[in-house]
Amino acid sequence: MWLINSSIGRKVVMSVTGVALILFLTFHGCMNVVALFSGKAYNMICEMLGANWYAVVATMGLAALAVIHIVFAFILTAQNRKARGNSRYDVATTVNAGKVEWASKNMLVLGIIICLGLLLHLFNFWYNMMFAEIVGMPAKLSPTDGFGWIQETFSNPVFVVLYIIWLVAIWFHLSHGFWSAMQTFGVNGKIWLKRWMCIGNIYVALLMLAFIVVVLAFAFGCAPSLCDAAACGM
Ligand code: HEM
């Protein structure tokens, strides 16, 4: 199948799965921003998602997207290195030295940092919430108390630092990935590529700042309490 056998096919797979993952992050970022205003509203969303069949199916779909994206990333990197042989850094060291972005040269390294951060994140949240609910595992907090789990996680400064590093790595990875996907989808011409690069940079910056603000708000105690005024009707 050309999607797997050809180089352009593999790039299309990377781009489609990448854009789908950005859409998930957009939903997840918007959901997290709710925690800045109302703990009760945030937990209502967590309860709605919970371990219901549709949430479990969505999680499986998401995991499949992430696995395909990661496997194809390794295949494409190996293929590029094989094609360029020992001179795989030529592009960066000769004519285009100033033009090649740092993120573009380090997509795989950024991807690995992101995967490690994701494992930590899934342990902190998914394992204590959805998994705990499915298997009936007793935990410190209720599996639907997402707000409580956020408070618990970011009361630890080590997690705050690790999450900020992780989110900045995702920021770099996405700012290159978004634009690269547009190129794969056939956007060409200097003007349109520049426009997409600008749109991508603004979109990704807003998205990642939303995640970072949530981490910092909980770390510095600026988030509402669970029974905030809006949720308690005061
Ligand atoms: C401020 C930062 C973040 C917070 C507070 C946060 C919070 C949460 C919470 C509470 C859940 C459990 C939701 C539930 O099961 O109802 C969750 C799940 C998850 N988060 Fe995050 N998240 C953050 C950043 C991220 C980022 C940057 C990514 C991706 C790179 C991510 C990926 C996921 C995934 C894949 C799940 C499992 C989703 C599922 O079960 O379908 N999160 N997160």
Side-chain angles (χ1 to χ4, degrees):
M1 210 189 11
W2 75 274
L3 277 177
I4 296 169
N5 297 333
S6 72
S7 163
I8 183 68
R10 286 189 284 258
K11 282 205 110 190
V12 169
V13 172
M14 283 292 292
S15 303
V16 171
T17 51
V19 169
L21 290 168
I22 293 180
L23 289 179
F24 159 74
L25 266 191
T26 306
F27 166 77
H28 198 32
C30 293
M31 169 181 158
N32 285 345
V33 167
V34 173
L36 293 177
F37 299 98
S38 165
K40 275 206 167 173
Y42 188 75
N43 280 356
M44 269 170 66
I45 303 174
C46 290
E47 224 165 289
M48 201 176 75
L49 295 174
N52 296 310
W53 69 267
Y54 49 84
V56 175
V57 170
T59 300
M60 278 162 27
L62 193 60
L65 282 175
V67 169
I68 294 172
H69 192 78
I70 293 165
V71 169
F72 275 70
F74 278 102
I75 297 175
L76 270 174
T77 306
Q79 172 195 315
N80 287 345
R81 290 194 174 168
K82 202 170 152 197
R84 289 188 197 145
N86 289 333
S87 56
R88 69 187 171 91
Y89 294 115
D90 267 9
V91 184
T93 51
T94 55
V95 273
N96 289 326
K99 291 183 193 162
V100 179
E101 294 168 75
W102 182 86
S104 126
K105 282 183 287 169
N106 293 287
M107 285 302 268
L108 193 68
V109 176
L110 287 170
I112 292 170
I113 297 175
I114 293 167
C115 285
L116 292 176
L118 188 59
L119 289 178
L120 173 72
H121 180 60
L122 291 179
F123 176 71
N124 281 342
F125 291 94
W126 178 82
Y127 174 75
N128 283 313
M129 295 176 69
M130 188 186 268
F131 182 77
E133 198 177 337
I134 292 171
V135 300
M137 181 180 80
K140 197 171 171 182
L141 298 169
S142 150
T144 53
D145 185 8
F147 188 81
W149 284 108
I150 300 181
Q151 278 179 321
E152 167 78 11
T153 306
F154 300 125
S155 62
N156 182 339
V158 175
F159 284 142
V160 174
V161 173
L162 290 178
Y163 266 74
I164 297 292
I165 295 172
W166 179 51
L167 292 169
V168 171
I170 298 175
W171 189 336
F172 274 111
H173 189 81
L174 294 190
S175 51
H176 173 73
F178 190 98
W179 166 80
S180 175
M182 290 310 134
Q183 255 186 328
T184 304
F185 293 148
V187 175
N188 48 33
K190 255 189 178 171
I191 294 180
W192 273 104
L193 269 180
K194 269 198 172 162
R195 281 181 188 158
W196 274 110
M197 202 172 195
C198 181
I199 294 169
N201 283 342
I202 295 173
Y203 188 86
V204 168
L206 290 175
L207 182 59
M208 296 323 295
L209 281 173
F211 281 106
I212 290 172
V213 166
V214 171
V215 174
L216 295 179
F218 277 85
F220 292 103
C222 311
S225 65
L226 183 59
C227 186
D228 54 283
C232 298
M234 286 186 265

